[in-house]
Amino acid sequence: MTEAGLNLPPERIPRHIAIIMDGNGRWAKKRGLPRIFGHRQGTENLRRIIRACVTFGVQYLTIYAFSTENWGRPQEELSGLMQLFHEAFANEIGELIREGVKIQHIGQREGMGADLLEKIDQAVERSKDNRRLILSVGLNYGGRNEIMHAVRKIVAAGVPAEAITEKTISANLFTAGTPDPDLVIRTSGEYRVSNFLIWQSAYAEWDFPETLWPDFGAEELRASIERYAKRDRRFGKLSENNP
Ligand code: IPE
Ligand code: IPE
Ligand code: MG
């Protein structure tokens, strides 16, 4: 089933949505299944949400798939997750690319398997001219780690201290070239940032639906965007409607 577009003025639709896809483990546990079943179902759901973003006219989608802290999980879950990422990049990406999705990776390459990196690099290369939706995949991503890498790059380039601006830092993050997120969604009723886009989300609007990620479908995304559309973003100034 394809969903209808949004009934909102274009300036009320978030240009960039970022999602902390949380709750896969609890989804599986509720059904008495191993956690990896939840991750599989979560990947299925991601496909739906990517399509919905295209339908809704969202231009950028950034997803948190695996954090730098997630390496602390049991080995069995880690190997299941890595296999799932392999499969997703091997089997799903071709169709997304045909649909006009541009794939980007955000996260530290070091520590990731060479095979997976190769698949990611191929997807990035094959999709580099696409513009319909820019999908940034956070894999081995941590916000602090990202800022650390940015500082290293700036220092290595010999930029004089007084020449470093906020723009310099933004331009050296993994997300360089992508506008800051307008809306960050975290599913599953957890209310924390967990090291996701900590620099970029300085002025994002946040939404915390209770639904576990595998059940967070297109209609829930629509509801989240509709809540966003009612917000008054002031950026520290006074309201445009009510100065
Ligand atoms: C999010 O779901 C996916 C990853 C962190 C890889 P979780 O695995 O954190 O699910 P819960 O929070 O345990 O339910
Ligand atoms: C954040 O979820 C990471 C991803 C969704 C990939 P976690 O489930 O790992 O976060 P915490 O540990 O509950 O903060
Ligand atoms: Mg979690």
Side-chain angles (χ1 to χ4, degrees):
M1 196 186 86
T2 52
E3 54 281 344
L6 290 167
N7 194 10
L8 287 170
E11 70 278 7
R12 289 268 149 190
I13 299 173
R15 179 156 74 132
H16 180 180
I17 297 181
I19 307 183
I20 302 174
M21 309 184 292
D22 200 10
N24 293 348
R26 279 163 282 166
W27 186 94
K29 198 172 170 211
K30 265 178 36 184
R31 289 161 178 79
L33 298 167
R35 293 177 58 85
I36 196 66
F37 281 75
H39 295 310
R40 282 202 178 273
Q41 204 60 38
T43 310
E44 286 288 315
N45 188 50
L46 177 58
R47 195 187 304 154
R48 288 198 283 272
I49 290 298
I50 293 171
R51 303 254 142 76
C53 282
V54 171
T55 308
F56 294 160
V58 173
Q59 293 169 46
Y60 297 85
L61 173 65
T62 299
I63 50 161
Y64 206 6
F66 189 86
S67 76
T68 46
E69 287 71 35
N70 287 148
W71 292 111
R73 296 195 178 192
Q75 193 51 49
E76 191 189 349
E77 180 166 353
L78 291 177
S79 37
L81 278 167
M82 292 307 140
Q83 195 188 330
L84 198 56
F85 298 143
H86 271 275
E87 286 172 20
F89 273 91
N91 307 329
E92 308 280 338
I93 290 291
E95 204 176 319
L96 287 180
I97 294 175
R98 280 192 294 282
E99 289 170 12
V101 177
K102 174 176 172 155
I103 320 260
Q104 304 185 145
H105 170 233
I106 57 168
Q108 178 181 277
R109 293 173 67 87
E110 191 198 349
M112 292 176 67
D115 282 7
L116 181 56
L117 279 172
E118 195 185 317
K119 289 210 174 72
I120 294 173
D121 289 344
Q122 284 167 1
V124 170
E125 174 59 27
R126 279 173 62 202
S127 67
K128 68 180 191 306
D129 297 325
N130 283 348
R131 289 291 175 272
R132 195 143 183 222
L133 177 75
I134 318 292
L135 174 67
S136 299
V137 183
L139 259 175
N140 200 18
Y141 175 86
R144 289 184 172 184
N145 174 272
E146 178 181 44
I147 293 169
M148 177 198 80
H149 280 287
V151 172
R152 283 187 186 172
K153 277 190 253 173
I154 295 165
V155 171
V159 181
E162 59 283 6
I164 299 172
T165 63
E166 292 183 10
K167 278 206 177 74
T168 318
I169 295 170
S170 293
N172 282 283
L173 297 173
F174 298 133
T175 54
T178 300
D180 287 341
D182 300 297
L183 169 63
V184 184
I185 300 170
R186 182 173 191 149
T187 57
S188 86
E190 302 290 357
Y191 305 90
R192 55 178 172 269
V193 61
S194 301
N195 207 6
F196 186 49
L197 302 180
I198 52 177
W199 173 276
Q200 300 89 333
S201 65
Y203 257 106
E205 298 293 327
W206 285 78
D207 191 44
F208 296 99
E210 296 290 318
T211 313
L212 303 176
W213 170 251
D215 293 331
F216 185 82
E219 289 313 307
E220 298 234 18
L221 178 66
R222 179 197 300 278
S224 183
I225 294 174
E226 285 170 352
R227 286 190 289 275
Y228 164 88
K230 293 198 184 100
R231 305 267 181 94
D232 181 17
R233 302 185 76 188
R234 292 187 288 278
F235 299 97
K237 302 169 199 158
L238 298 183
S239 172
E240 276 179 22
N241 309 320
N242 243 329

